[in-house]
Amino acid sequence: MPKILPDRWKQRIRNRLLDFDARIDSTLFSSAVGIRELWERFSTFMDRFYVGRWKRWVFIEPLSEAATIGAGGLLVLLALAQPAFRETADEDWLKKSDLAVTFLDRYGNPIGSRGIKHNDSIPLEDFPDSLIKATLATEDRRFYDHFGIDIAGTARALVTNAQAGGVRQGGSSISQQLAKNLFLSNERTLERKVNEAFLAIWLETRLSKNEILKLYLDRAYMGGGTFGADGAAHFYFNKSVRDVNLAEAAMLAGLFKAPTKFAPHINLPAARARANVVLDNLVDAGFMTEGQVFGARRNPASVVDRRDENSPNYYLDWAFDEVRKVVETFPKSYTERVFVVRTTIDTNVQRAAEAAIENQLRQFGRDYHATQAATVLSDLDGGVRAMVGGRDYGSSQFNRAVDAYRQPGSSFKPYVYTTALLNGFKPTSIVVDGPVCIGNWCPQNYGHSYSGSVTLTQAITRSINVVPVKLSITLGGKAGPKAGRAKIVEVARRFGIKAPLIDTPSLPIGSTEVTVLEHAVAYATFPNKGKAPTPHAVLEVRTGAGDLVWRFDRDGPKPRQAIPASVAADMAGMMSHVVSEGTARRAALDGIPTAGKTGTTNAYRDAWFVGYTGNFSCAVWYGNDDYSPTNRMTGGSLPAQTWRDIMIAAHQGVEVSELAGVGMGTRLPASPAQANARAADDDAKPAPPPVLTRRGADILARLEKMLDDAAKAIDKTEPGKPVSSTTVGFPDNFAAASPGGAPASGPRKN
């Protein structure tokens, strides 16, 4: 390059570069001088505001720290507000809960209603003045003064609760309670309270105070399955909310705090006592004088007697949630909010289910230390014909059939055996019931003994624990037990189990948790020739004018082939032995083919029986809400007997269908010997459990083991007895033998 360019060009380029460098240096120097001058001027100007000595530490530093902390606090508040404001993303937020649904049973008879229907003929101005004052005096006296959160009221509630050592006073404003009703659940968590506060402020910016109060009066739950003051007035007093007097208004206003506790049709004395507290609040708030409330104190409200009404409230709550999901699938342009829904419920079976559970708990609940139960009965396409979510809806609206996750115990094993049949096993395949460990966990059978070689049918009949665990190990092959359990979970998912199914070594024997609803409908896969149905309550949805807008057989999900029909038949054949000769003999039905599985969890916390016929599938659970153990209740006791009582009612007037793999069932009793056995079983219907000390139980367990050892020793020395010697490549002493192999008898687990 130096040789190519002329010398004069080289000089010009050098001069230009020097000029450019000089300009950069000059600009940087001038900028630095200018900045220094500006800084000096700024410093001189700010020196006028300099505060020193004590004034700086008293005023300036705290203000600076407050500004810093405030900026950080605003960022934290913004982050906390995001989950709350996501709840308002739906443009239809004000209407998404605004459904009014009338429910019919499967035959078209009204059974109840749910939801909220805005009635423009009753604006806020037409609500009795006494009801509005009673509500404000009791729920939020500063409603028209605060911005959505009553800071003074919240502080007062905190002080009162701290002094009382418990929750004595609520600090939520009406705006906060409305936000909870519109967007949130009733769970008592800090996250919910934070979201509630932000949503209350958001509501205050979108709606007027009167609109918030009107929505609150329309949408609050008032007990008895009713929402809104007008619905409650009709339910409790058989009149419009326009016509309630002061005593009735006080009783209605007292329901907002705890509708379950103070519902007058459940506990009239408590409701009247609460109404008297509301009258005190009216006087304390200055809304009325003692003379004005005196008449209401002397003449408390009388309510309509609803004791003979038996609405299937647990079922209706679940069905209403399903209707909401169905309506969400409608086009955004669809504005209809009033519907008439025909459901799958059979009211006769529903009443029989409720009566069966109540009778068993009333007669034996105290002896067994069991306080709650739940059941679901489904037809083979997943339509729920009966649901009991607890003993008393009035005392607890928590639906144990839908929302409670409980360990299924041995009733989970059919999913394990189904997985085994899908992977080459047969009902006659033989497995050695002997010690096995996965890591530090070693499962034990009921009675702490082993039965030796057993077929899969015998293992499920006796509810042996070791065999399902060994099956999970074999199913995993070289990949290990975890891979085997993954196959089991995948099969359970095919059946329709949506519960988390946490993977643990004890998963094959039912340590994971499921719901009664999913468990009951999943078992319907067996009699449905391997097709897994979807649980549902809704058959038809019509508008208030009668126009059909949705139908399950046309618009609902179709059954999916979860397992081959041959496997379903094999499982039904295996599980029928559980009822005929195993742990669930109390569930046997006369002349109706029956199959199922009992389940009992550690410490007897949960007792199950889940079974099916060629027509229906049903699950029954007994236990306690606080997970406390029962008094040795097993799945073959109250659950099996309750299942039988429900199924007898369900099959009344129904043509009995054949159960593939079982046949048409047998009449009971069929012989004098079976008649005596059946009579013994009938005499042994669930009764108070025997009282046995721990020492006595240990002695009996040792005696049982000694008898088993003696029987095995005799079998070994008995001449001419065939012994299986052919083994296959299964780990943990798995052996294949002929279907006729007869294992040593072992203890049964209910």
Side-chain angles (χ1 to χ4, degrees):
M1 181 68 71
K3 296 180 179 180
I4 296 175
L5 295 176
D7 292 340
R8 64 177 183 278
W9 283 21
K10 295 179 184 178
Q11 187 62 38
R12 288 181 181 179
I13 292 173
R14 187 179 295 107
N15 292 340
R16 293 291 176 87
L17 291 176
L18 289 173
D19 179 69
F20 180 71
D21 181 67
R23 289 178 183 274
I24 292 176
D25 293 342
S26 176
T27 301
L28 292 175
F29 179 78
S30 301
S31 299
V33 172
I35 291 173
R36 185 176 65 249
E37 291 179 354
L38 288 174
W39 175 253
E40 290 176 352
R41 293 177 183 177
F42 176 76
S43 299
T44 303
F45 176 77
M46 293 302 296
D47 286 342
R48 302 176 184 177
F49 304 99
Y50 175 76
V51 178
R53 297 183 179 180
W54 64 271
K55 294 181 180 179
R56 175 179 179 180
W57 299 106
V58 173
F59 298 106
I60 303 304
E61 291 297 334
L63 288 175
S64 299
E65 293 298 328
T68 303
I69 295 173
L74 288 175
L75 291 175
V76 172
L77 288 176
L78 182 61
L80 292 174
Q82 293 305 308
F85 292 153
R86 275 197 293 269
E87 299 288 343
T88 66
D90 190 351
E91 296 179 359
D92 195 34
W93 64 271
L94 191 57
K95 291 184 178 180
K96 65 180 181 180
S97 297
D98 183 19
L99 292 178
V101 182
T102 300
F103 288 102
L104 312 176
D105 67 8
R106 65 186 305 106
Y107 306 112
N109 303 308
I111 56 173
S113 61
R114 284 293 185 273
I116 307 159
K117 179 181 178 181
H118 287 303
N119 190 347
D120 293 336
S121 64
I122 309 181
L124 185 63
E125 292 76 17
D126 287 355
F127 276 70
D129 184 64
S130 58
L131 176 60
I132 294 176
K133 288 181 177 178
T135 301
L136 294 177
T138 304
E139 297 299 315
D140 191 354
R141 297 181 187 181
R142 292 167 42 83
F143 173 68
Y144 285 99
D145 299 325
H146 60 65
F147 57 92
I149 302 175
D150 186 4
I151 297 177
T154 302
R156 182 178 62 252
L158 290 174
V159 172
T160 302
N161 294 337
Q163 292 175 344
V167 179
R168 293 291 183 272
Q169 197 174 104
S172 296
S173 66
I174 285 179
S175 301
Q176 289 174 271
Q177 295 180 55
L178 177 62
K180 180 187 68 175
N181 293 339
L182 289 178
F183 302 107
L184 306 173
S185 65
N186 290 322
E187 60 178 350
R188 293 188 174 184
T189 62
L190 179 61
E191 180 183 3
R192 197 265 290 171
K193 293 297 292 184
V194 171
N195 291 341
E196 181 184 286
F198 283 114
L199 289 170
I201 298 173
W202 186 83
L203 284 174
E204 291 276 349
T205 63
R206 303 294 294 269
L207 303 173
S208 67
K209 287 287 188 179
N210 285 344
E211 288 174 331
I212 291 175
L213 181 58
K214 177 65 165 60
L215 282 173
Y216 180 70
L217 292 172
D218 279 345
R219 301 200 174 189
Y221 180 66
M222 305 290 280
T226 63
F227 289 83
D230 187 56
H234 281 286
F235 182 77
Y236 296 122
F237 311 124
N238 202 22
K239 62 173 67 175
S240 170
V241 71
R242 290 191 185 96
D243 303 321
V244 299
N245 56 36
L246 177 57
E248 294 164 344
M251 187 170 286
L252 290 177
L255 293 174
F256 291 112
K257 178 180 180 181
T260 299
K261 181 179 180 181
F262 299 119
H265 71 302
I266 299 296
N267 192 340
L268 184 58
R272 286 178 171 171
R274 175 63 178 168
N276 201 50
V277 172
V278 173
L279 295 175
D280 291 338
N281 293 335
L282 281 168
V283 176
D284 293 341
F287 293 157
M288 289 187 179
T289 65
E290 183 60 41
Q292 289 175 304
V293 304
F294 180 75
R297 292 189 194 275
R298 293 294 301 273
N299 299 286
S302 299
V303 301
V304 177
D305 188 359
R306 303 284 183 183
R307 288 176 296 179
D308 294 334
E309 296 186 5
N310 193 15
S311 180
N313 288 309
Y314 288 113
Y315 186 97
L316 293 179
D317 288 348
W318 174 63
F320 185 56
D321 288 338
E322 185 176 330
V323 172
R324 283 178 172 173
K325 295 175 183 176
V326 169
V327 172
E328 287 176 358
T329 65
F330 294 169
K332 289 283 187 180
S333 58
Y334 193 83
T335 58
E336 180 67 40
R337 311 302 291 179
V338 180
F339 300 101
V340 177
V341 175
R342 187 165 71 90
T343 65
T344 58
I345 193 172
D346 186 324
T347 53
N348 293 326
V349 180
Q350 175 70 28
R351 284 193 289 268
E354 293 171 353
I357 283 180
E358 178 60 27
N359 291 340
Q360 297 293 344
L361 283 175
R362 183 177 298 172
Q363 189 172 1
F364 304 114
R366 179 176 298 179
D367 296 316
Y368 276 106
H369 299 171
T371 58
Q372 283 295 347
T375 185
V376 169
L377 183 137
S378 161
D379 52 33
L380 300 192
D381 68 353
V384 176
R385 298 206 175 197
M387 173 184 289
V388 180
R391 187 175 185 180
D392 185 2
Y393 184 85
S395 60
S396 172
Q397 286 82 52
F398 179 68
N399 193 335
R400 295 155 189 83
V402 177
D403 301 320
Y405 286 86
R406 305 294 297 234
Q407 291 183 342
S410 295
S411 66
F412 188 82
K413 292 176 183 176
Y415 307 127
V416 181
Y417 287 101
T418 300
T419 308
L421 296 186
L422 290 172
N423 287 270
F425 284 83
K426 303 293 183 183
T428 54
S429 297
I430 289 183
V431 180
V432 176
D433 175 24
V436 64
C437 292
I438 300 178
N440 295 325
W441 179 70
C442 302
Q444 296 290 327
N445 292 325
Y446 187 77
H448 304 286
S449 61
Y450 302 99
S451 301
S453 298
V454 294
T455 64
L456 295 191
T457 299
Q458 292 166 334
I460 194 173
T461 301
R462 300 176 186 176
S463 197
I464 296 173
N465 284 334
V466 171
V467 171
V469 176
K470 284 194 171 185
L471 288 175
S472 70
I473 296 172
T474 302
L475 291 170
K478 295 181 179 179
K482 189 176 183 67
R485 295 193 298 270
K487 291 182 179 180
I488 295 170
V489 170
E490 191 271 331
V491 169
R493 296 286 184 224
R494 288 194 222 168
F495 276 73
I497 300 295
K498 294 183 173 61
L501 298 182
I502 299 172
D503 182 17
T504 62
S506 57
L507 178 141
I509 58 175
S511 64
T512 189
E513 296 177 333
V514 298
T515 66
V516 177
L517 174 64
E518 288 182 355
H519 213 19
V521 179
Y523 265 51
T525 304
F526 296 119
N528 203 29
K529 299 181 180 179
K531 293 182 178 180
T534 300
H536 62 279
V538 178
L539 288 176
E540 292 179 352
V541 178
R542 295 180 181 270
T543 65
D547 299 326
L548 180 66
V549 295
W550 192 90
R551 196 171 66 197
F552 181 81
D553 58 358
R554 182 189 67 192
D555 307 308
K558 303 298 185 289
R560 58 206 177 278
Q561 195 72 44
I563 58 176
S566 59
V567 173
D570 286 342
M571 284 300 304
M574 293 168 60
M575 296 169 71
S576 67
H577 289 275
V578 177
V579 178
S580 62
E581 59 192 81
T583 58
R585 291 188 297 275
R586 286 196 181 100
L589 298 171
D590 190 12
I592 302 174
T594 306
K597 187 69 190 75
T598 55
T600 308
T601 63
N602 288 341
Y604 301 93
R605 287 186 173 87
D606 303 277
W608 295 74
F609 181 69
V610 191
Y612 52 90
T613 66
N615 300 86
F616 305 108
S617 173
C618 179
V620 178
W621 165 85
Y622 278 84
N624 296 301
D625 286 342
D626 59 0
Y627 289 88
S628 60
T630 64
N631 186 14
R632 303 180 67 85
M633 180 190 290
T634 61
S637 58
L638 294 192
Q641 181 62 45
T642 303
W643 186 93
R644 181 174 182 268
D645 295 341
I646 295 171
M647 279 298 202
I648 289 174
H651 285 83
Q652 293 295 322
V654 175
E655 182 180 355
V656 176
S657 298
E658 181 178 359
L659 182 58
V662 179
M664 283 300 297
T666 58
R667 286 287 176 181
L668 301 175
S671 68
Q674 289 181 347
N676 294 334
R678 184 64 191 170
D681 269 352
D682 288 341
D683 291 339
K685 283 183 178 180
V691 178
L692 188 65
T693 64
R694 182 179 297 276
R695 182 171 178 272
D698 292 339
I699 292 173
L700 288 178
R702 288 198 299 271
L703 180 61
E704 183 180 32
K705 189 175 187 305
M706 291 170 63
L707 291 174
D708 283 343
D709 293 341
K712 292 177 182 178
I714 293 173
D715 289 342
K716 290 181 179 179
T717 60
E718 184 178 339
K721 183 174 182 178
V723 179
S724 172
S725 60
T726 304
T727 60
V728 295
F730 295 150
D732 295 304
N733 297 325
F734 273 71
S738 64
S745 61
R748 291 169 176 166
K749 178 180 178 183
N750 290 333

